[in-house]
Amino acid sequence: MATDFPRFSHRSDPNVQAFPDEGHVLVVDGTCAACSSGAKFVARRDHRKEFLICPAGSSLGRSLMLHYGMDPVDPDSWLYLRHGDVRFSLDAMIEVAAHIYRPAAVLRVLFILPRPVRDWMYRRIARNRHHIMGRTDICEIPDEALRDRLIG
C-alpha cells in the first residue's frame, strides 16, 4: 500500500496551508451524496474522535488534492492521510472503515487484488456516483458529529 509520496510531503508544498495533520485526515467530495454519507459514517463511528474531514472543494481540500495529483473540481477518489502517509480510492475507504469499524477489516482481503484492479473498481463507482446517489453539500448536513470534524 505504499505510495510514491513521502510522509507529510504536503508540508513542503507552499500551496498547502498548515493544518492539524498528525492523525487521520479524510478529504472527500463535499457535493457527492455517497461521499457525504461516508463522511457521516466516519463521524458517527469514530468514537475516539481521531478523524478530521475536509471537503475537496474547500481551500485546503483543493490544495491537498492538487498536491497529490488529483482533480479538486471532479475528485474521483477519497484522499486519506494517516499520520502523514497517503492512501487513495478503495485503499483509503478500506483503511478508514477498518480503523473505525472492526468488522470492516475483512475488506482488507481486497488488497490481494493488484492496485490497478482496485483502482479500476473504485473508478467505475466514482464516475457514476452523482448519477447513482445524487448530489448534496457536506457542509449543509445538520449532523453535529460531522460538523465537529470539518476542516478546510
Side-chain angles (χ1 to χ4, degrees):
M1 288 191 312
T3 65
D4 297 332
F5 297 97
R7 290 184 80 219
F8 296 108
S9 68
H10 57 273
R11 287 182 177 173
S12 62
D13 186 336
N15 297 313
V16 177
Q17 66 201 49
F19 65 99
D21 64 354
E22 291 293 332
H24 302 264
V25 178
L26 180 59
V27 182
V28 297
D29 181 351
T31 64
C32 167
C35 295
S36 295
S37 294
K40 286 181 6 182
F41 174 83
V42 169
R44 289 183 187 141
R45 294 279 182 173
D46 178 26
H47 302 295
R48 293 177 285 196
K49 299 187 181 207
E50 296 176 290
F51 280 80
L52 295 174
I53 300 168
C54 181
S58 70
S59 175
L60 175 60
R62 280 190 303 274
S63 63
L64 284 168
M65 297 290 263
L66 289 170
H67 173 79
Y68 288 109
M70 300 169 68
D71 181 358
V73 175
D74 187 23
D76 64 356
S77 179
W78 275 23
L79 173 69
Y80 172 41
L81 297 171
R82 180 179 65 187
H83 306 294
D85 289 323
V86 65
R87 303 284 186 276
F88 305 100
S89 304
L90 186 59
D91 292 2
M93 293 181 79
I94 291 169
E95 289 296 336
V96 168
H99 185 79
I100 61 169
Y101 185 62
R102 212 175 244 317
V106 72
L107 295 173
R108 287 186 171 136
V109 72
L110 294 173
F111 289 141
I112 64 171
L113 298 173
R115 179 175 294 170
V117 173
R118 294 192 311 268
D119 290 346
W120 177 85
M121 289 170 51
Y122 185 89
R123 277 192 312 273
R124 296 289 298 169
I125 296 167
R127 285 185 184 145
N128 295 297
R129 70 192 183 281
H130 293 297
H131 177 72
I132 295 167
M133 297 289 292
R135 292 181 182 269
T136 188
D137 185 345
I138 195 171
C139 297
E140 291 180 3
I141 298 170
D143 184 318
E144 186 175 336
L146 179 57
R147 275 196 315 264
D148 289 346
R149 293 158 198 268
L150 287 175
I151 62 171

